[in-house]
Amino acid sequence: ISYRAGSAARKPQQEGLMAMLRNLGRALGTAGTLAAGAGLVAYNCIFNVDPGRRAIMFRRFQGGIQDKEIYDEGSHFYLPLISQPIIMDVRTRPRSVKTQTASKDLQNVNLTLRVLTKPSVEHLPKIYQDLSMDYDERVLPSMVNEVLKGTVAQYNADQLLTQRDKVSLEIRQNLKDRLDNFNILLDDVSITHLNFSRDFSRAIEDKQVESQKAEKAKFVVMKAEQERQAKIIKAEGDAESAEMVAAAISKHGPGLVMMRKIETAKEISETLARSRNVTYLPGGKKGGDPSLLLNVK
C-alpha cells in the first residue's frame, strides 16, 4: 500500500517534467528555425566582388542604375527583389583589329593593330547604361578602323615603313581621344602586322636591288679614280726623281750612276749566293752583253 502511494505521488512530478522538456524542445526548434531562416536570408543578402572586378547596383524603386554606387572587391550587403548587383570586369583586355586601307600615294596597305583597353571605373554605371557589358565589342572594331584609315591616309607607303614609330604614336593619340568619349581607357597600341600588295612589295625589292647595283658601280668608279690618282702621283714622283738624278749627274758627273750600279750588283750577288742552284757568277764576253755585275770595273 505504501509503494502504491509513493508512485501516485511521483506521477504528477514526472508529467510536469515531461511537459517542461516538451516546451523546451519546441522553443529550441523554433529558435533553430529562426536562426536557419536568418542565416538563409543573410546569405541571400550578401554578394561578393572578385579581384579585377567592380559592382554597380540596380534598384527597382530608386531609378534603376545608381550613378554613384560602385562597389570594390570584397563582400557587400543588398536587399534581394529590391536591389540587384551587376558585376563588371575592369581588367585590361587585349584585342586585335585587322583592316585594309590606302596610303597617301594610293598603295594598298594591310594592317593589324593590337590594342589594350579597360573601362573607367568611376564611369561604370554610364558605360553599362550606354554600352552594356560588351562595350569593347560595340566600340573598338569600328573606332579602330576609322582611326587607322584616317591616319594611314596621311603617309606615303615608304613613310609607313621608315616612320613606323611616329605612325603608331599618332594612331594611339587619335584613338585615345575618340575612346575618351566612351569612358574607355587606352593602355597601349602596337602595329603587329604591316604589309603591302604584291606588286608594291616586288617594286620595293627591285628598288633595293637597283640601289645595291648603284652602290657597287659607285664603288667601282671610286676605286678606278683612286687607282688613277695613285698612278699619277707615282708618275709625278718618278719624273721628279729622274729630274733630280739628271741634275745630280750634270753637276757631279757619272759617279752617282756608278754608285747605283755597285749597289745593284751587290744585291744581285747576295741573292744568288743564297740560292742553292747557283755556284758561280758568270762573266760577260768582251763586246757582248754585260754580266750580272752590270759591267762594273
Side-chain angles (χ1 to χ4, degrees):
I1 295 172
S2 61
Y3 174 76
R4 291 179 179 177
S7 298
R10 288 194 298 269
K11 187 174 181 181
Q13 295 178 356
Q14 292 176 355
E15 291 178 354
L17 181 60
M18 293 299 296
M20 184 182 298
L21 291 176
R22 284 194 296 269
N23 293 333
L24 180 61
R26 285 194 294 269
L28 291 177
T30 303
T33 303
L34 292 176
L40 182 61
V41 171
Y43 177 79
N44 290 329
C45 292
I46 295 176
F47 69 94
N48 296 319
V49 180
D50 295 331
R53 292 174 169 82
R54 297 293 186 273
I56 59 177
M57 188 63 67
F58 172 79
R59 299 189 184 278
R60 300 181 186 278
F61 305 108
Q62 296 182 10
I65 297 295
Q66 303 300 302
D67 294 337
K68 297 182 180 180
E69 289 191 35
I70 300 174
Y71 297 86
D72 295 331
E73 301 169 0
S75 298
H76 307 275
F77 289 97
Y78 78 106
L79 296 178
L81 302 179
I82 298 177
S83 303
Q84 178 63 43
I86 300 172
I87 310 298
M88 296 187 66
D89 191 350
V90 296
R91 292 172 294 186
T92 299
R93 300 183 183 182
R95 187 180 184 89
S96 296
V97 180
K98 297 181 180 180
T99 186
Q100 182 176 2
T101 183
S103 61
K104 187 177 181 180
D105 52 355
L106 302 181
Q107 296 294 334
N108 291 327
V109 183
N110 296 315
L111 281 169
T112 300
L113 193 71
R114 187 173 186 269
V115 296
L116 300 177
T117 59
K118 63 183 178 182
S120 176
V121 174
E122 58 268 22
H123 297 97
L124 284 179
K126 179 67 172 175
I127 294 175
Y128 183 79
Q129 287 177 321
D130 295 343
L131 303 172
S132 188
M133 301 287 285
D134 56 345
Y135 60 90
D136 54 342
E137 182 68 29
R138 295 171 181 265
V139 173
L140 287 180
S142 60
M143 194 69 63
V144 172
N145 273 285
E146 181 180 354
V147 171
L148 276 177
K149 292 181 179 181
T151 304
V152 171
Q154 301 176 15
Y155 294 89
N156 292 327
D158 57 342
Q159 292 177 328
L160 294 175
L161 296 174
T162 58
Q163 303 179 21
R164 185 164 179 167
D165 293 340
K166 181 181 178 181
V167 175
S168 179
L169 183 61
E170 186 172 347
I171 290 174
R172 176 173 182 173
Q173 186 60 46
N174 294 338
L175 188 59
K176 179 179 181 299
D177 294 340
R178 296 297 302 274
L179 292 178
D180 285 344
N181 298 327
F182 297 92
N183 301 309
I184 299 176
L185 303 180
L186 182 64
D187 285 345
D188 187 46
V189 170
S190 59
I191 300 175
T192 57
H193 292 87
L194 173 63
N195 52 58
F196 303 92
S197 62
R198 292 184 178 180
D199 294 338
F200 185 75
S201 300
R202 190 179 300 110
I204 292 178
E205 294 177 359
D206 295 341
K207 182 179 179 180
Q208 291 294 329
V209 171
E210 293 299 327
S211 177
Q212 293 175 358
K213 290 181 179 179
E215 290 294 330
K216 183 178 180 180
K218 183 179 179 180
F219 173 75
V220 172
V221 171
M222 291 178 61
K223 182 179 179 182
E225 180 65 20
Q226 291 177 355
E227 291 177 351
R228 186 180 69 84
Q229 292 292 337
K231 290 179 180 179
I232 292 175
I233 294 173
K234 185 176 182 298
E236 291 177 351
D238 293 342
E240 184 177 356
S241 177
E243 291 178 358
M244 294 176 64
V245 171
I249 292 175
S250 62
K251 183 177 181 179
H252 302 288
L256 179 62
V257 176
M258 184 60 67
M259 184 178 66
R260 292 287 187 265
K261 286 184 178 182
I262 294 172
E263 292 175 353
T264 304
K266 182 179 178 181
E267 292 177 359
I268 295 174
S269 300
E270 291 176 353
T271 302
L272 293 176
R274 289 193 297 269
S275 178
R276 297 180 180 180
N277 299 326
V278 177
T279 58
Y280 68 93
L281 298 177
K285 296 180 180 181
K286 186 177 181 180
D289 295 333
S291 65
L292 291 175
L293 296 178
L294 302 181
N295 200 20
V296 176
K297 297 181 180 179

